[in-house]
Amino acid sequence: AQSVTQPDIHITVSEGASLELRCNYSYGATPYLFWYVQSPGQGLQLLLKYFSGDTLVQGIKGFEAEFKRSQSSFNLRKPSVHWSDAAEYFCAVGAYSGGGADGLTFGKGTHLIIQP
Amino acid sequence: DADVTQTPRNRITKTGKRIMLECSQTKGHDRMYWYRQDPGLGLRLIYYSFDVKDINKGEISDGYSVSRQAQAKFSLSLESAIPNQTALYFCATSGALYGTGELFFGEGSRLTVL
């Protein structure tokens, strides 16, 4: 079965500093990978996704992520964070059967705190 | 209007009561999902449905049931609610049969069982 590990439960970053959120996955085939963000009191919004091609993917709000097959990782990065980036971030891997997409398996999330 | 709408957004109930959370979507997607979010545990899949005749159990289906009334409607029921079912519940949809599986989420239904 597929799984996702987000090693950092909480991360604190100063406004304007760079950010990297870690994600490791376990899946038997080429994965479809996703990063979602959840702002306080809100639903989940897709930041970016990887399913083939270039291993560096660009997303919304200035985020990017790099797929590294050899490390089973899909880390999320942003060069300069803003106070509005404070949120919960979830990495997810897609599960597929003969019937197609069976839903996403999510990591436990990383809570991002921005210091002024 | 939101593409994926959940009702109610907030509900407080008592142990033993029957609760239904409803989800409707205007995205035209065939696939619908119910997830549960608990602090520190991320999102866990309860049930999912590929069409009105197809229902599948997810990781944590015990204590829950679902009904797919139409392509656009998917409801989650707790027949006899218990306090450890207190959580934030999300409905989600996804599109093409062999698409990437990207999920589109509703805004969530917060359920408190006393």
Side-chain angles (χ1 to χ4, degrees), chain A residues 26 32 55 67 85 92 110:
Chain A
S26 173
Y32 290 172
T55 56
F67 170 59
D85 293 324
T110 297

Side-chain angles (χ1 to χ4, degrees), chain A residues 26-113:
Chain A
S26 173
Y27 187 67
T30 300
Y32 290 172
L33 295 161
F34 306 81
W35 275 99
Y36 282 85
V37 60
Q38 183 182 27
S39 298
Q42 302 295 314
L44 279 80
Q45 180 182 23
L46 180 71
L47 283 176
L48 47 77
K49 62 185 176 184
Y50 169 82
F51 51 94
S52 68
D54 193 345
T55 56
L56 184 64
V57 294
Q58 302 297 321
I60 62 171
K61 304 184 180 186
F63 286 92
E64 66 178 25
E66 185 172 13
F67 170 59
K68 292 186 178 180
R69 186 188 300 275
S70 61
Q71 299 177 19
S72 297
S73 69
F74 188 56
N75 294 348
L76 182 71
R77 301 194 294 249
K78 187 171 185 178
S80 176
V81 298
H82 185 263
W83 64 266
S84 60
D85 293 324
E88 192 83 15
Y89 290 79
F90 293 97
C91 181
V93 63
Y96 304 90
S97 66
D102 290 342
L104 302 184
T105 297
F106 287 84
K108 295 183 178 181
T110 297
H111 184 62
L112 176 63
I113 300 167

Side-chain angles (χ1 to χ4, degrees), chain A residues 102 104-105, chain B residues 33-38 41-48 56-66 76-78 82 84-90:
Chain A
D102 290 342
L104 302 184
T105 297
Chain B
Y33 306 80
W34 276 104
Y35 281 86
R36 167 178 172 161
Q37 183 182 17
D38 297 278
L41 296 180
L43 282 81
R44 294 178 291 168
L45 183 62
I46 307 173
Y47 271 98
Y48 59 107
N56 302 278
K57 291 183 177 181
E59 177 187 355
I60 54 163
S61 59
D62 288 348
Y64 301 95
S65 62
V66 291
L76 176 71
S77 294
L78 289 68
I82 56 177
N84 77 0
Q85 292 178 313
T86 293
L88 183 58
Y89 291 85
F90 284 104

